[in-house]
Amino acid sequence: MLIGKKQFLILAAFAACVFGCASCKQEDDPFTGIKIASSATTGDAGGTVSITATYYNEDTADASSTVTYTLSADSTGGAYFGTSGTLTTTGTSGSAVTLTLGSTGGESVTVTATCNSSSASKKIYTKTTTSVTDTPTGYAGVDWVSFYDSEKLVTVTTKSELVNYAKQGGYTILVDGMIDLSEGMLPSGTSGNSTSALDAFVAENSESATGTKYTTYSAYNSAKLSSVSESADWTNPLNKTYRNKVRFSVASKTAIIGLGENSGVSGGGISIGSSYVVLRNLVIKDGYDPFPNHEKDDGWNAQIDAIGISGANHVWVDHCTLEDTIEMGTAPNASKESSSNHKKFQTYDGLCDINASSKYVTVSNCILRNHDKTMLIGSGSSDKSGGYITLSNNRFYGCGQRLPLTCYANMHIYNNYYGDASGFYSNSYAIGARYDKYTIIAEGNYFGSGISAAFKASTTPTGICYALGNSTESGGLSISGSKPFSVPYSYDLLSYTDAKSFVSKNAGAGVISVQ
């Protein structure tokens, strides 16, 4: 039977909607199966974690069905439900059961929940128990001087308490919960946004800084930023005032240690220019600067480091999670007013920057993520004193560059895991070198698919990057003679495949229990 063009089009449209097409919206099928959750993804060795499995029937939670829980792949030393040796238990859908973990730290157990032919699994890790008196690894531990005093062990929950004890020195400070160093000025979403507290800061400080009072952050930016020439250097009048409000300094012989999985600071920076300092088990996020300066060759650049180490010695940053949660915005310049030409509005400086005049610094077992200019070692061509820095067992992902970038420093970079995850920024390189006096030993590092180049040297430096046993020897990361210096400490060097596995489960805040 022959059909006309009109009839054919009607039949085609009908068939497309019936059988599916790109332009026809398809409704998701209602979910039927198990969802499993836990009170934490990690727990103290020998401690307990609550596990809840819920059975859903066409998107509706079923509170009557029975769920069976089973333990497997247990390397924690004997996890159980209820009483020791119990590897299987039952519970009502949506109700919690208690899992007791084994006594071995840094290991895991798999929990599988089944109900009505559906199943789901979850892996729970045991925290490694460590001490507030631990000696640092790497260069920070060389000639380390212990300063722990039980009479100076304090727990803080507020900014004023933290700042007060940090500036005195001699204290071991336990941080309980997240402390907002910005006191409500930190925006959410994209940089350039405001809060009522940030508006109040502008209203209070703008007149003394500029001669004109602005009542909101938006009004201040509209007036000041758009007047800056594309080719000019410009210091933001409110930059220093804001920086002094949200950044605090740490005196010598001070340890700041987080309690639990979500303890630390946000919205500001930690400044270290002293000796014998420990930062451990902390979440340090959004070292945010809403008043960046303008540099004629590089746009808008922030002046606050989440961690800034300058002129210090014997500093240990361990098991911390350092990250940004606010995406970069744009800002206009006088000579580029169209929205397509607005320049980057960089409200973050370094995630962990170390001046090369700092000696004996270790950054270990940390997660560094969602940051552009992540870690600068040495501040420029004049910073030639040459620090001694260890980077070990760290996880870098969603980071644009400087993992690290070193100028005139002696670096031991081993067993770090780079890439293989998405984030705010695409990567341009991992390890970088600038100027001509750097010396790098890179061993057993895993460079994932998200890393553009394992090593990159700017200009024409004559330094040495000795590399051995990494997942790639490409991108300039190649063996260069013998080791350029002798490392003055012992360390366990893993293969790059073992390093990837170890770092994946061991890096960041919350995977250790500090006692």
Side-chain angles (χ1 to χ4, degrees):
M1 180 180 69
L2 296 177
I3 61 174
K5 182 178 180 181
K6 181 176 181 181
Q7 287 87 351
F8 174 80
L9 292 174
I10 292 172
L11 288 172
F14 174 76
C17 287
V18 171
F19 297 107
C21 67
S23 62
C24 296
K25 182 179 180 181
Q26 301 294 309
E27 295 294 334
D28 293 333
D29 292 333
F31 174 75
T32 295
I34 287 183
K35 295 181 181 180
I36 185 170
S38 61
S39 58
T41 57
T42 60
D44 292 334
T48 61
V49 175
S50 294
I51 307 291
T52 303
T54 305
Y55 180 74
Y56 288 82
N57 186 4
E58 295 189 343
D59 285 341
T60 301
D62 181 355
S64 60
S65 293
T66 298
V67 176
T68 300
Y69 297 85
T70 305
L71 300 181
S72 62
D74 180 17
S75 58
T76 69
Y80 59 88
F81 295 113
T83 58
S84 180
T86 303
L87 305 184
T88 300
T89 191
T90 59
T92 303
S93 168
S95 297
V97 298
T98 299
L99 168 68
T100 300
L101 296 166
S103 59
T104 305
E107 298 297 335
S108 66
V109 59
T110 299
V111 181
T112 300
T114 59
C115 180
N116 296 334
S117 301
S118 297
S119 66
S121 296
K122 192 172 188 67
K123 186 175 288 188
I124 306 296
Y125 292 92
T126 51
K127 299 177 184 178
T128 300
T129 301
T130 61
S131 172
V132 294
T133 62
D134 284 347
T135 298
T137 59
Y139 270 117
V142 176
D143 297 325
W144 178 258
V145 174
S146 178
F147 57 84
Y148 177 74
D149 180 353
S150 60
E151 297 297 318
K152 289 189 172 183
L153 176 66
V154 295
T155 300
V156 302
T157 59
T158 66
K159 176 183 175 180
S160 60
E161 291 173 333
L162 173 60
V163 171
N164 176 53
Y165 286 115
K167 71 181 180 182
Q168 294 186 48
Y171 279 91
T172 297
I173 305 166
L174 305 180
V175 179
D176 187 1
M178 290 299 298
I179 294 174
D180 178 11
L181 299 176
S182 78
E183 301 178 66
M185 290 188 287
L186 183 67
S188 60
T190 303
S191 62
N193 293 336
S194 189
T195 66
S196 58
L198 186 56
D199 288 340
F201 173 84
V202 171
E204 179 182 354
N205 295 283
S206 57
E207 186 170 10
S208 60
T210 69
T212 302
K213 182 173 182 176
Y214 299 94
T215 58
T216 66
Y217 176 66
S218 177
Y220 174 84
N221 277 354
S222 296
K224 305 300 291 183
L225 273 59
S226 60
S227 65
V228 177
S229 170
E230 183 78 11
S231 59
D233 288 325
W234 180 74
T235 300
N236 199 316
L238 288 180
N239 183 278
K240 185 176 181 180
T241 304
Y242 186 85
R243 191 183 349 153
N244 289 340
K245 186 174 181 62
V246 302
R247 186 179 64 172
F248 71 96
S249 297
V250 181
S252 293
K253 297 183 178 179
T254 299
I256 304 177
I257 301 170
L259 295 175
E261 293 187 62
N262 192 33
S263 292
V265 297
S266 64
I270 302 173
S271 179
I272 302 172
S274 49
S275 305
Y276 305 103
V277 173
V278 173
L279 303 179
R280 296 192 81 190
N281 205 38
L282 296 166
V283 175
I284 302 171
K285 63 181 181 180
D286 294 322
Y288 183 84
D289 181 0
F291 302 100
N293 293 338
H294 188 270
E295 298 174 20
K296 61 183 179 181
D297 296 321
D298 199 32
W300 301 92
N301 281 293
Q303 306 298 309
I304 298 173
D305 296 327
I307 299 176
I309 302 170
S310 180
N313 72 80
H314 292 92
V315 178
W316 188 27
V317 182
D318 179 68
H319 277 102
C320 292
T321 297
L322 297 91
E323 63 180 341
D324 302 343
T325 67
I326 301 171
E327 295 190 62
M328 189 191 308
T330 58
N333 291 80
S335 61
K336 285 191 174 183
E337 284 300 322
S338 68
S339 60
S340 62
N341 286 325
H342 287 181
K343 299 186 70 175
K344 67 176 184 180
F345 193 59
Q346 179 69 273
T347 47
Y348 294 110
D349 195 6
L351 201 54
C352 181
D353 280 6
I354 305 169
N355 189 289
S357 61
S358 296
K359 308 287 187 181
Y360 305 113
V361 178
T362 296
V363 179
S364 57
N365 303 299
C366 291
I367 292 174
L368 300 95
R369 62 187 174 203
N370 292 338
H371 194 90
D372 183 18
K373 299 176 181 179
T374 305
M375 181 179 286
L376 178 64
I377 313 296
S379 56
S381 60
S382 62
D383 191 359
K384 299 181 179 180
S385 53
Y388 296 90
I389 316 295
T390 301
L391 299 184
S392 63
N393 306 112
N394 300 297
R395 176 79 164 97
F396 296 89
Y397 64 93
C399 295
Q401 56 185 309
R402 302 184 180 181
L403 314 178
L405 172 62
T406 180
C407 315
Y408 301 99
N410 300 289
M411 301 284 301
H412 187 202
I413 304 173
Y414 73 92
N415 286 160
N416 299 285
Y417 174 18
Y418 294 88
D420 274 354
S422 60
F424 290 169
Y425 307 99
S426 58
N427 179 262
S428 56
Y429 66 90
I431 301 170
R434 181 183 289 172
Y435 309 115
D436 63 351
K437 295 297 182 182
Y438 68 88
T439 309
I440 299 170
I441 297 175
E443 303 178 285
N445 298 290
Y446 184 90
F447 296 92
S449 59
I451 298 299
S452 177
F455 177 74
K456 177 182 178 182
S458 61
T459 65
T460 55
T462 57
I464 297 172
C465 180
Y466 172 85
L468 183 65
N470 301 284
S471 65
T472 176
E473 309 294 355
S474 63
L477 188 60
S478 59
I479 298 172
S480 177
S482 59
K483 286 187 177 182
F485 58 88
S486 177
V487 177
Y489 51 83
S490 61
Y491 61 101
D492 295 325
L493 182 64
L494 305 174
S495 69
Y496 65 77
T497 52
D498 288 343
K500 178 184 178 182
S501 176
F502 176 80
V503 172
S504 294
K505 69 178 183 179
N506 190 62
V511 299
I512 60 173
S513 177
V514 183
Q515 299 180 355

